[in-house]
Amino acid sequence: MSNATSSVNLMSATAPMSFSEVCRQAAFQASDSMTDALVQQQAAEGATLRAAAAFVAYPLDVLKTQVQASHPQYNRLLKLPNIVKDYRMNILKGYPGVGVNAFIMGGLMFGGYRFFDNFWQLNGVPDYWRPAVAGASIGMICGVVATPLEQVKTVMALQEAWLKEGKITQRIYPSVVQGALNAPAKLKFYAAMPLMIRTGLFDCQLFFYNSRLRDWLATSGSDISPSSRLAISTFGFMTAGLIGATVNYPFDLVKGRMMAEAYEASTGVKTPSTMIGTFRKVIADGGVAGLFRGLPTRSALHATVWCVVGIGRE
């Protein structure tokens, strides 16, 4: 009888867990780690840092939106003073959407990353690559969650120029709250796919780099001065952000183009586009190089954001 019981126990110990069991265990481990006061503090700090960095860089974000929408006047990084002068304080009207998104994403990343880190560990993904896989997983979810407010922010960034040019007679959304409540679902999620892929690619690279940097500092950085550690961590983090922003930029450009046309497409003024169709149009108009139109503006945006985040982390 004891031998039979031992056999059953051995089989249950070695039998692979079902998908639901893996999810349940990964969620339990993630929630357990999130009860730690230090982890909660890090999550709050990370979310606050993202929101603060997004505020500092927001004028660049508005300019990037116009560059990607092929605005004839606001068409490159050097036009930042022009758009700030023309928009005045209206340039910050869409920030609440970005700020809320940054805060949500910063918090969601901590718990969500822990879940997927546990999930992929239980599925046998090696420690070296797991940060990249877990980062991509939570990044894609964050992309979907961020889409509605990102879309409203885009409309609010563009409507100031539309008013000036006479394309509209009044603001479509006076505030982020009004846009978030009243915008139809087909507008809010019009460009969900490219944003989901863009965010997944970015977080895949960023989490992988961050894990490698921390491992290196833990094993080889004992003789490095505190100021050098700060410089390596801050500017290394910023460099990782710039590399990630360059790798995923074609998806960011397509996302920007689709979000720029989303209001007119959702109201029947324009024929709706798909992600593949937008890729084809961009390449047809400007070749493969056209997929990187506006990259300097986004690079400046990400350098600002991740420099602020990197300094804040230290």
mmCIF file with all atom_site columns, all heavy atoms in Angstrom, residues 203-223:
data_model
loop_
_atom_site.group_PDB
_atom_site.id
_atom_site.type_symbol
_atom_site.label_atom_id
_atom_site.label_alt_id
_atom_site.label_comp_id
_atom_site.label_asym_id
_atom_site.label_entity_id
_atom_site.label_seq_id
_atom_site.pdbx_PDB_ins_code
_atom_site.Cartn_x
_atom_site.Cartn_y
_atom_site.Cartn_z
_atom_site.occupancy
_atom_site.B_iso_or_equiv
_atom_site.pdbx_formal_charge
_atom_site.auth_seq_id
_atom_site.auth_comp_id
_atom_site.auth_asym_id
_atom_site.auth_atom_id
_atom_site.pdbx_PDB_model_num
ATOM 1   N N   . ASP A 1 203 ? 9.319  46.648 -23.996 1.00 0.00 ? 203 ASP A N   1
ATOM 2   C CA  . ASP A 1 203 ? 9.507  46.099 -22.650 1.00 0.00 ? 203 ASP A CA  1
ATOM 3   C C   . ASP A 1 203 ? 10.301 44.799 -22.662 1.00 0.00 ? 203 ASP A C   1
ATOM 4   O O   . ASP A 1 203 ? 10.987 44.482 -21.685 1.00 0.00 ? 203 ASP A O   1
ATOM 5   C CB  . ASP A 1 203 ? 8.147  45.895 -21.977 1.00 0.00 ? 203 ASP A CB  1
ATOM 6   C CG  . ASP A 1 203 ? 7.498  47.220 -21.598 1.00 0.00 ? 203 ASP A CG  1
ATOM 7   O OD1 . ASP A 1 203 ? 8.236  48.170 -21.316 1.00 0.00 ? 203 ASP A OD1 1
ATOM 8   O OD2 . ASP A 1 203 ? 6.257  47.308 -21.603 1.00 0.00 ? 203 ASP A OD2 1
ATOM 9   N N   . CYS A 1 204 ? 10.234 44.056 -23.743 1.00 0.00 ? 204 CYS A N   1
ATOM 10  C CA  . CYS A 1 204 ? 11.084 42.874 -23.901 1.00 0.00 ? 204 CYS A CA  1
ATOM 11  C C   . CYS A 1 204 ? 12.549 43.271 -23.794 1.00 0.00 ? 204 CYS A C   1
ATOM 12  O O   . CYS A 1 204 ? 13.320 42.693 -23.018 1.00 0.00 ? 204 CYS A O   1
ATOM 13  C CB  . CYS A 1 204 ? 10.795 42.221 -25.250 1.00 0.00 ? 204 CYS A CB  1
ATOM 14  S SG  . CYS A 1 204 ? 11.978 40.935 -25.744 1.00 0.00 ? 204 CYS A SG  1
ATOM 15  N N   . GLN A 1 205 ? 12.929 44.278 -24.555 1.00 0.00 ? 205 GLN A N   1
ATOM 16  C CA  . GLN A 1 205 ? 14.319 44.726 -24.563 1.00 0.00 ? 205 GLN A CA  1
ATOM 17  C C   . GLN A 1 205 ? 14.700 45.388 -23.252 1.00 0.00 ? 205 GLN A C   1
ATOM 18  O O   . GLN A 1 205 ? 15.773 45.159 -22.701 1.00 0.00 ? 205 GLN A O   1
ATOM 19  C CB  . GLN A 1 205 ? 14.516 45.686 -25.749 1.00 0.00 ? 205 GLN A CB  1
ATOM 20  C CG  . GLN A 1 205 ? 15.925 46.201 -25.924 1.00 0.00 ? 205 GLN A CG  1
ATOM 21  C CD  . GLN A 1 205 ? 16.161 47.515 -25.196 1.00 0.00 ? 205 GLN A CD  1
ATOM 22  O OE1 . GLN A 1 205 ? 15.225 48.271 -24.957 1.00 0.00 ? 205 GLN A OE1 1
ATOM 23  N NE2 . GLN A 1 205 ? 17.389 47.786 -24.839 1.00 0.00 ? 205 GLN A NE2 1
ATOM 24  N N   . LEU A 1 206 ? 13.802 46.216 -22.705 1.00 0.00 ? 206 LEU A N   1
ATOM 25  C CA  . LEU A 1 206 ? 14.141 46.992 -21.513 1.00 0.00 ? 206 LEU A CA  1
ATOM 26  C C   . LEU A 1 206 ? 14.324 46.102 -20.288 1.00 0.00 ? 206 LEU A C   1
ATOM 27  O O   . LEU A 1 206 ? 15.283 46.261 -19.524 1.00 0.00 ? 206 LEU A O   1
ATOM 28  C CB  . LEU A 1 206 ? 13.056 48.033 -21.239 1.00 0.00 ? 206 LEU A CB  1
ATOM 29  C CG  . LEU A 1 206 ? 13.441 49.136 -20.253 1.00 0.00 ? 206 LEU A CG  1
ATOM 30  C CD1 . LEU A 1 206 ? 14.539 50.020 -20.843 1.00 0.00 ? 206 LEU A CD1 1
ATOM 31  C CD2 . LEU A 1 206 ? 12.227 49.983 -19.901 1.00 0.00 ? 206 LEU A CD2 1
ATOM 32  N N   . PHE A 1 207 ? 13.427 45.137 -20.080 1.00 0.00 ? 207 PHE A N   1
ATOM 33  C CA  . PHE A 1 207 ? 13.551 44.254 -18.927 1.00 0.00 ? 207 PHE A CA  1
ATOM 34  C C   . PHE A 1 207 ? 14.777 43.353 -19.061 1.00 0.00 ? 207 PHE A C   1
ATOM 35  O O   . PHE A 1 207 ? 15.441 43.051 -18.065 1.00 0.00 ? 207 PHE A O   1
ATOM 36  C CB  . PHE A 1 207 ? 12.286 43.410 -18.755 1.00 0.00 ? 207 PHE A CB  1
ATOM 37  C CG  . PHE A 1 207 ? 11.200 44.117 -17.984 1.00 0.00 ? 207 PHE A CG  1
ATOM 38  C CD1 . PHE A 1 207 ? 10.147 44.721 -18.641 1.00 0.00 ? 207 PHE A CD1 1
ATOM 39  C CD2 . PHE A 1 207 ? 11.241 44.176 -16.601 1.00 0.00 ? 207 PHE A CD2 1
ATOM 40  C CE1 . PHE A 1 207 ? 9.155  45.380 -17.934 1.00 0.00 ? 207 PHE A CE1 1
ATOM 41  C CE2 . PHE A 1 207 ? 10.251 44.828 -15.886 1.00 0.00 ? 207 PHE A CE2 1
ATOM 42  C CZ  . PHE A 1 207 ? 9.199  45.435 -16.548 1.00 0.00 ? 207 PHE A CZ  1
ATOM 43  N N   . PHE A 1 208 ? 15.068 42.919 -20.276 1.00 0.00 ? 208 PHE A N   1
ATOM 44  C CA  . PHE A 1 208 ? 16.257 42.090 -20.479 1.00 0.00 ? 208 PHE A CA  1
ATOM 45  C C   . PHE A 1 208 ? 17.520 42.872 -20.149 1.00 0.00 ? 208 PHE A C   1
ATOM 46  O O   . PHE A 1 208 ? 18.393 42.399 -19.415 1.00 0.00 ? 208 PHE A O   1
ATOM 47  C CB  . PHE A 1 208 ? 16.310 41.594 -21.926 1.00 0.00 ? 208 PHE A CB  1
ATOM 48  C CG  . PHE A 1 208 ? 17.528 40.780 -22.240 1.00 0.00 ? 208 PHE A CG  1
ATOM 49  C CD1 . PHE A 1 208 ? 17.626 39.463 -21.815 1.00 0.00 ? 208 PHE A CD1 1
ATOM 50  C CD2 . PHE A 1 208 ? 18.584 41.332 -22.957 1.00 0.00 ? 208 PHE A CD2 1
ATOM 51  C CE1 . PHE A 1 208 ? 18.760 38.707 -22.084 1.00 0.00 ? 208 PHE A CE1 1
ATOM 52  C CE2 . PHE A 1 208 ? 19.715 40.590 -23.235 1.00 0.00 ? 208 PHE A CE2 1
ATOM 53  C CZ  . PHE A 1 208 ? 19.804 39.271 -22.799 1.00 0.00 ? 208 PHE A CZ  1
ATOM 54  N N   . TYR A 1 209 ? 17.601 44.079 -20.671 1.00 0.00 ? 209 TYR A N   1
ATOM 55  C CA  . TYR A 1 209 ? 18.778 44.902 -20.401 1.00 0.00 ? 209 TYR A CA  1
ATOM 56  C C   . TYR A 1 209 ? 18.900 45.184 -18.906 1.00 0.00 ? 209 TYR A C   1
ATOM 57  O O   . TYR A 1 209 ? 19.989 45.099 -18.331 1.00 0.00 ? 209 TYR A O   1
ATOM 58  C CB  . TYR A 1 209 ? 18.696 46.222 -21.166 1.00 0.00 ? 209 TYR A CB  1
ATOM 59  C CG  . TYR A 1 209 ? 19.740 47.216 -20.702 1.00 0.00 ? 209 TYR A CG  1
ATOM 60  C CD1 . TYR A 1 209 ? 21.052 47.124 -21.154 1.00 0.00 ? 209 TYR A CD1 1
ATOM 61  C CD2 . TYR A 1 209 ? 19.416 48.198 -19.773 1.00 0.00 ? 209 TYR A CD2 1
ATOM 62  C CE1 . TYR A 1 209 ? 22.019 48.009 -20.697 1.00 0.00 ? 209 TYR A CE1 1
ATOM 63  C CE2 . TYR A 1 209 ? 20.386 49.082 -19.308 1.00 0.00 ? 209 TYR A CE2 1
ATOM 64  C CZ  . TYR A 1 209 ? 21.679 48.982 -19.784 1.00 0.00 ? 209 TYR A CZ  1
ATOM 65  O OH  . TYR A 1 209 ? 22.621 49.848 -19.314 1.00 0.00 ? 209 TYR A OH  1
ATOM 66  N N   . ASN A 1 210 ? 17.788 45.538 -18.268 1.00 0.00 ? 210 ASN A N   1
ATOM 67  C CA  . ASN A 1 210 ? 17.823 45.892 -16.854 1.00 0.00 ? 210 ASN A CA  1
ATOM 68  C C   . ASN A 1 210 ? 18.318 44.717 -16.008 1.00 0.00 ? 210 ASN A C   1
ATOM 69  O O   . ASN A 1 210 ? 19.101 44.894 -15.064 1.00 0.00 ? 210 ASN A O   1
ATOM 70  C CB  . ASN A 1 210 ? 16.436 46.336 -16.392 1.00 0.00 ? 210 ASN A CB  1
ATOM 71  C CG  . ASN A 1 210 ? 16.466 47.004 -15.029 1.00 0.00 ? 210 ASN A CG  1
ATOM 72  O OD1 . ASN A 1 210 ? 17.331 47.816 -14.736 1.00 0.00 ? 210 ASN A OD1 1
ATOM 73  N ND2 . ASN A 1 210 ? 15.510 46.655 -14.187 1.00 0.00 ? 210 ASN A ND2 1
ATOM 74  N N   . SER A 1 211 ? 17.871 43.506 -16.339 1.00 0.00 ? 211 SER A N   1
ATOM 75  C CA  . SER A 1 211 ? 18.313 42.331 -15.578 1.00 0.00 ? 211 SER A CA  1
ATOM 76  C C   . SER A 1 211 ? 19.795 42.066 -15.777 1.00 0.00 ? 211 SER A C   1
ATOM 77  O O   . SER A 1 211 ? 20.517 41.713 -14.843 1.00 0.00 ? 211 SER A O   1
ATOM 78  C CB  . SER A 1 211 ? 17.496 41.093 -15.990 1.00 0.00 ? 211 SER A CB  1
ATOM 79  O OG  . SER A 1 211 ? 17.778 40.710 -17.316 1.00 0.00 ? 211 SER A OG  1
ATOM 80  N N   . ARG A 1 212 ? 20.276 42.259 -17.009 1.00 0.00 ? 212 ARG A N   1
ATOM 81  C CA  . ARG A 1 212 ? 21.704 42.054 -17.273 1.00 0.00 ? 212 ARG A CA  1
ATOM 82  C C   . ARG A 1 212 ? 22.556 43.113 -16.554 1.00 0.00 ? 212 ARG A C   1
ATOM 83  O O   . ARG A 1 212 ? 23.636 42.813 -16.035 1.00 0.00 ? 212 ARG A O   1
ATOM 84  C CB  . ARG A 1 212 ? 21.977 42.109 -18.789 1.00 0.00 ? 212 ARG A CB  1
ATOM 85  C CG  . ARG A 1 212 ? 21.216 41.088 -19.612 1.00 0.00 ? 212 ARG A CG  1
ATOM 86  C CD  . ARG A 1 212 ? 21.834 39.689 -19.538 1.00 0.00 ? 212 ARG A CD  1
ATOM 87  N NE  . ARG A 1 212 ? 21.749 39.057 -18.241 1.00 0.00 ? 212 ARG A NE  1
ATOM 88  C CZ  . ARG A 1 212 ? 20.639 38.456 -17.786 1.00 0.00 ? 212 ARG A CZ  1
ATOM 89  N NH1 . ARG A 1 212 ? 19.549 38.423 -18.518 1.00 0.00 ? 212 ARG A NH1 1
ATOM 90  N NH2 . ARG A 1 212 ? 20.636 37.878 -16.591 1.00 0.00 ? 212 ARG A NH2 1
ATOM 91  N N   . LEU A 1 213 ? 22.074 44.350 -16.545 1.00 0.00 ? 213 LEU A N   1
ATOM 92  C CA  . LEU A 1 213 ? 22.815 45.420 -15.875 1.00 0.00 ? 213 LEU A CA  1
ATOM 93  C C   . LEU A 1 213 ? 22.889 45.171 -14.376 1.00 0.00 ? 213 LEU A C   1
ATOM 94  O O   . LEU A 1 213 ? 23.951 45.321 -13.755 1.00 0.00 ? 213 LEU A O   1
ATOM 95  C CB  . LEU A 1 213 ? 22.161 46.771 -16.154 1.00 0.00 ? 213 LEU A CB  1
ATOM 96  C CG  . LEU A 1 213 ? 22.796 47.988 -15.456 1.00 0.00 ? 213 LEU A CG  1
ATOM 97  C CD1 . LEU A 1 213 ? 24.233 48.180 -15.933 1.00 0.00 ? 213 LEU A CD1 1
ATOM 98  C CD2 . LEU A 1 213 ? 21.970 49.249 -15.713 1.00 0.00 ? 213 LEU A CD2 1
ATOM 99  N N   . ARG A 1 214 ? 21.774 44.769 -13.785 1.00 0.00 ? 214 ARG A N   1
ATOM 100 C CA  . ARG A 1 214 ? 21.761 44.504 -12.342 1.00 0.00 ? 214 ARG A CA  1
ATOM 101 C C   . ARG A 1 214 ? 22.671 43.317 -11.992 1.00 0.00 ? 214 ARG A C   1
ATOM 102 O O   . ARG A 1 214 ? 23.363 43.343 -10.973 1.00 0.00 ? 214 ARG A O   1
ATOM 103 C CB  . ARG A 1 214 ? 20.330 44.251 -11.876 1.00 0.00 ? 214 ARG A CB  1
ATOM 104 C CG  . ARG A 1 214 ? 19.470 45.503 -11.871 1.00 0.00 ? 214 ARG A CG  1
ATOM 105 C CD  . ARG A 1 214 ? 18.086 45.245 -11.270 1.00 0.00 ? 214 ARG A CD  1
ATOM 106 N NE  . ARG A 1 214 ? 17.271 46.431 -11.283 1.00 0.00 ? 214 ARG A NE  1
ATOM 107 C CZ  . ARG A 1 214 ? 17.331 47.406 -10.374 1.00 0.00 ? 214 ARG A CZ  1
ATOM 108 N NH1 . ARG A 1 214 ? 18.197 47.312 -9.381  1.00 0.00 ? 214 ARG A NH1 1
ATOM 109 N NH2 . ARG A 1 214 ? 16.542 48.452 -10.449 1.00 0.00 ? 214 ARG A NH2 1
ATOM 110 N N   . ASP A 1 215 ? 22.660 42.291 -12.823 1.00 0.00 ? 215 ASP A N   1
ATOM 111 C CA  . ASP A 1 215 ? 23.543 41.149 -12.584 1.00 0.00 ? 215 ASP A CA  1
ATOM 112 C C   . ASP A 1 215 ? 25.004 41.564 -12.658 1.00 0.00 ? 215 ASP A C   1
ATOM 113 O O   . ASP A 1 215 ? 25.836 41.138 -11.845 1.00 0.00 ? 215 ASP A O   1
ATOM 114 C CB  . ASP A 1 215 ? 23.260 40.038 -13.607 1.00 0.00 ? 215 ASP A CB  1
ATOM 115 C CG  . ASP A 1 215 ? 21.955 39.314 -13.338 1.00 0.00 ? 215 ASP A CG  1
ATOM 116 O OD1 . ASP A 1 215 ? 21.386 39.502 -12.250 1.00 0.00 ? 215 ASP A OD1 1
ATOM 117 O OD2 . ASP A 1 215 ? 21.505 38.573 -14.236 1.00 0.00 ? 215 ASP A OD2 1
ATOM 118 N N   . TRP A 1 216 ? 25.313 42.389 -13.650 1.00 0.00 ? 216 TRP A N   1
ATOM 119 C CA  . TRP A 1 216 ? 26.697 42.837 -13.806 1.00 0.00 ? 216 TRP A CA  1
ATOM 120 C C   . TRP A 1 216 ? 27.142 43.699 -12.628 1.00 0.00 ? 216 TRP A C   1
ATOM 121 O O   . TRP A 1 216 ? 28.260 43.533 -12.098 1.00 0.00 ? 216 TRP A O   1
ATOM 122 C CB  . TRP A 1 216 ? 26.847 43.625 -15.106 1.00 0.00 ? 216 TRP A CB  1
ATOM 123 C CG  . TRP A 1 216 ? 28.261 44.085 -15.334 1.00 0.00 ? 216 TRP A CG  1
ATOM 124 C CD1 . TRP A 1 216 ? 29.307 43.361 -15.814 1.00 0.00 ? 216 TRP A CD1 1
ATOM 125 C CD2 . TRP A 1 216 ? 28.781 45.390 -15.037 1.00 0.00 ? 216 TRP A CD2 1
ATOM 126 N NE1 . TRP A 1 216 ? 30.446 44.131 -15.856 1.00 0.00 ? 216 TRP A NE1 1
ATOM 127 C CE2 . TRP A 1 216 ? 30.152 45.379 -15.390 1.00 0.00 ? 216 TRP A CE2 1
ATOM 128 C CE3 . TRP A 1 216 ? 28.220 46.564 -14.543 1.00 0.00 ? 216 TRP A CE3 1
ATOM 129 C CZ2 . TRP A 1 216 ? 30.960 46.498 -15.242 1.00 0.00 ? 216 TRP A CZ2 1
ATOM 130 C CZ3 . TRP A 1 216 ? 29.031 47.686 -14.378 1.00 0.00 ? 216 TRP A CZ3 1
ATOM 131 C CH2 . TRP A 1 216 ? 30.382 47.639 -14.731 1.00 0.00 ? 216 TRP A CH2 1
ATOM 132 N N   . LEU A 1 217 ? 26.283 44.619 -12.183 1.00 0.00 ? 217 LEU A N   1
ATOM 133 C CA  . LEU A 1 217 ? 26.623 45.470 -11.051 1.00 0.00 ? 217 LEU A CA  1
ATOM 134 C C   . LEU A 1 217 ? 26.771 44.648 -9.764  1.00 0.00 ? 217 LEU A C   1
ATOM 135 O O   . LEU A 1 217 ? 27.603 44.958 -8.911  1.00 0.00 ? 217 LEU A O   1
ATOM 136 C CB  . LEU A 1 217 ? 25.565 46.554 -10.854 1.00 0.00 ? 217 LEU A CB  1
ATOM 137 C CG  . LEU A 1 217 ? 25.546 47.684 -11.898 1.00 0.00 ? 217 LEU A CG  1
ATOM 138 C CD1 . LEU A 1 217 ? 24.349 48.601 -11.678 1.00 0.00 ? 217 LEU A CD1 1
ATOM 139 C CD2 . LEU A 1 217 ? 26.837 48.489 -11.844 1.00 0.00 ? 217 LEU A CD2 1
ATOM 140 N N   . ALA A 1 218 ? 25.956 43.590 -9.642  1.00 0.00 ? 218 ALA A N   1
ATOM 141 C CA  . ALA A 1 218 ? 26.007 42.756 -8.437  1.00 0.00 ? 218 ALA A CA  1
ATOM 142 C C   . ALA A 1 218 ? 27.278 41.917 -8.390  1.00 0.00 ? 218 ALA A C   1
ATOM 143 O O   . ALA A 1 218 ? 27.828 41.670 -7.315  1.00 0.00 ? 218 ALA A O   1
ATOM 144 C CB  . ALA A 1 218 ? 24.782 41.855 -8.373  1.00 0.00 ? 218 ALA A CB  1
ATOM 145 N N   . THR A 1 219 ? 27.765 41.477 -9.552  1.00 0.00 ? 219 THR A N   1
ATOM 146 C CA  . THR A 1 219 ? 28.927 40.577 -9.586  1.00 0.00 ? 219 THR A CA  1
ATOM 147 C C   . THR A 1 219 ? 30.253 41.288 -9.839  1.00 0.00 ? 219 THR A C   1
ATOM 148 O O   . THR A 1 219 ? 31.294 40.868 -9.342  1.00 0.00 ? 219 THR A O   1
ATOM 149 C CB  . THR A 1 219 ? 28.740 39.506 -10.676 1.00 0.00 ? 219 THR A CB  1
ATOM 150 O OG1 . THR A 1 219 ? 28.537 40.150 -11.951 1.00 0.00 ? 219 THR A OG1 1
ATOM 151 C CG2 . THR A 1 219 ? 27.528 38.633 -10.368 1.00 0.00 ? 219 THR A CG2 1
ATOM 152 N N   . SER A 1 220 ? 30.209 42.366 -10.624 1.00 0.00 ? 220 SER A N   1
ATOM 153 C CA  . SER A 1 220 ? 31.463 43.020 -11.028 1.00 0.00 ? 220 SER A CA  1
ATOM 154 C C   . SER A 1 220 ? 31.536 44.491 -10.644 1.00 0.00 ? 220 SER A C   1
ATOM 155 O O   . SER A 1 220 ? 32.533 45.154 -10.968 1.00 0.00 ? 220 SER A O   1
ATOM 156 C CB  . SER A 1 220 ? 31.654 42.906 -12.552 1.00 0.00 ? 220 SER A CB  1
ATOM 157 O OG  . SER A 1 220 ? 31.573 41.564 -12.976 1.00 0.00 ? 220 SER A OG  1
ATOM 158 N N   . GLY A 1 221 ? 30.496 44.995 -10.011 1.00 0.00 ? 221 GLY A N   1
ATOM 159 C CA  . GLY A 1 221 ? 30.474 46.436 -9.749  1.00 0.00 ? 221 GLY A CA  1
ATOM 160 C C   . GLY A 1 221 ? 30.819 46.828 -8.336  1.00 0.00 ? 221 GLY A C   1
ATOM 161 O O   . GLY A 1 221 ? 30.586 47.980 -7.940  1.00 0.00 ? 221 GLY A O   1
ATOM 162 N N   . SER A 1 222 ? 31.393 45.915 -7.560  1.00 0.00 ? 222 SER A N   1
ATOM 163 C CA  . SER A 1 222 ? 31.693 46.219 -6.158  1.00 0.00 ? 222 SER A CA  1
ATOM 164 C C   . SER A 1 222 ? 32.772 47.286 -6.013  1.00 0.00 ? 222 SER A C   1
ATOM 165 O O   . SER A 1 222 ? 32.810 48.017 -5.013  1.00 0.00 ? 222 SER A O   1
ATOM 166 C CB  . SER A 1 222 ? 32.112 44.944 -5.415  1.00 0.00 ? 222 SER A CB  1
ATOM 167 O OG  . SER A 1 222 ? 33.230 44.350 -6.051  1.00 0.00 ? 222 SER A OG  1
ATOM 168 N N   . ASP A 1 223 ? 33.663 47.376 -6.982  1.00 0.00 ? 223 ASP A N   1
ATOM 169 C CA  . ASP A 1 223 ? 34.756 48.348 -6.897  1.00 0.00 ? 223 ASP A CA  1
ATOM 170 C C   . ASP A 1 223 ? 34.425 49.681 -7.561  1.00 0.00 ? 223 ASP A C   1
ATOM 171 O O   . ASP A 1 223 ? 35.270 50.577 -7.612  1.00 0.00 ? 223 ASP A O   1
ATOM 172 C CB  . ASP A 1 223 ? 36.022 47.770 -7.553  1.00 0.00 ? 223 ASP A CB  1
ATOM 173 C CG  . ASP A 1 223 ? 36.518 46.517 -6.838  1.00 0.00 ? 223 ASP A CG  1
ATOM 174 O OD1 . ASP A 1 223 ? 36.311 46.435 -5.612  1.00 0.00 ? 223 ASP A OD1 1
ATOM 175 O OD2 . ASP A 1 223 ? 37.090 45.637 -7.508  1.00 0.00 ? 223 ASP A OD2 1
#
